[in-house]
Amino acid sequence: QQQQANIITCIVGGSSKCLCKKTRDNLGINPRQIQNMEIFPPSNFCDKMEIIINLKRGGQYCLNPDAQKIRDILKKMANKP
Amino acid sequence: QQQQANIITCIVGGSSKCLCKKTRDNLGINPRQIQNMEIFPPSNFCDKMEIIINLKRGGQYCLNPDAQKIRDILKKMANKP
């Protein structure tokens, strides 16, 4: 669970329980640079869904699950042939 | 990247480059048991999208991104209020 710990200390910092302090409303990069996307459902730990993008070259950032562009990305993945 | 390495050795085993050897066509558990969902886009490493469910109590399994029930889950996440 080392990777999880890194995410928490890196993104959260202070005492808030959610992993993401800041989120982006769009992907903002070439999808080819994405290692994976981690989706955390709402939990006792954090009351909202959180989406974390891990990059192939290292580093990560959060997406805003309420932003229309992000919803469109999730829909696109659901409709892939 | 230790967690990534675990996934690869645990699920793949042999020489095939995709992470998932077996996939499920439905979630099959209470969503509350889910720690997170990792979505790997198609890459040079593996030519199809892969979805890995990590459980809170440890353990993980793969979902079939082409199965209708899994597509519905992704759509549901995209349409969350």
Side-chain angles (χ1 to χ4, degrees), chain A residues 1 3-4 32 34-41 44 49 56 71 74-75 77-81, chain B residues 3-4 32 34-41 43-44 49 56 71 74-75 77-81:
Chain A
Q1 294 298 2
Q3 194 188 16
Q4 243 55 45
R32 289 195 160 277
I34 296 174
Q35 160 89 3
N36 69 8
M37 170 191 281
E38 287 180 280
I39 299 176
F40 291 80
N44 313 341
M49 177 164 77
K56 286 178 181 169
R71 289 175 183 253
L74 291 174
K75 276 180 208 154
M77 288 193 304
N79 297 324
K80 265 204 186 300
Chain B
Q3 194 190 17
Q4 242 56 44
R32 289 195 159 277
I34 296 175
Q35 161 89 1
N36 68 6
M37 170 192 281
E38 288 179 280
I39 299 176
F40 292 81
S43 65
N44 312 344
M49 177 165 78
K56 286 178 182 169
R71 289 173 182 255
L74 289 174
K75 275 180 208 153
M77 288 193 304
N79 298 323
K80 264 205 186 300

Side-chain angles (χ1 to χ4, degrees), chain A residues 41, chain B residues 24-37 52-63 69-70 73 76:
Chain B
R24 295 186 190 180
D25 288 349
N26 56 51
L27 204 54
I29 56 157
N30 178 332
R32 289 195 159 277
Q33 294 178 302
I34 296 175
Q35 161 89 1
N36 68 6
M37 170 192 281
I52 295 176
I53 295 287
N54 292 298
L55 300 174
K56 286 178 182 169
R57 55 174 166 74
Q60 56 206 173
Y61 59 88
C62 292
L63 300 180
K69 282 187 176 171
I70 306 308
I73 288 169
K76 219 170 116 188

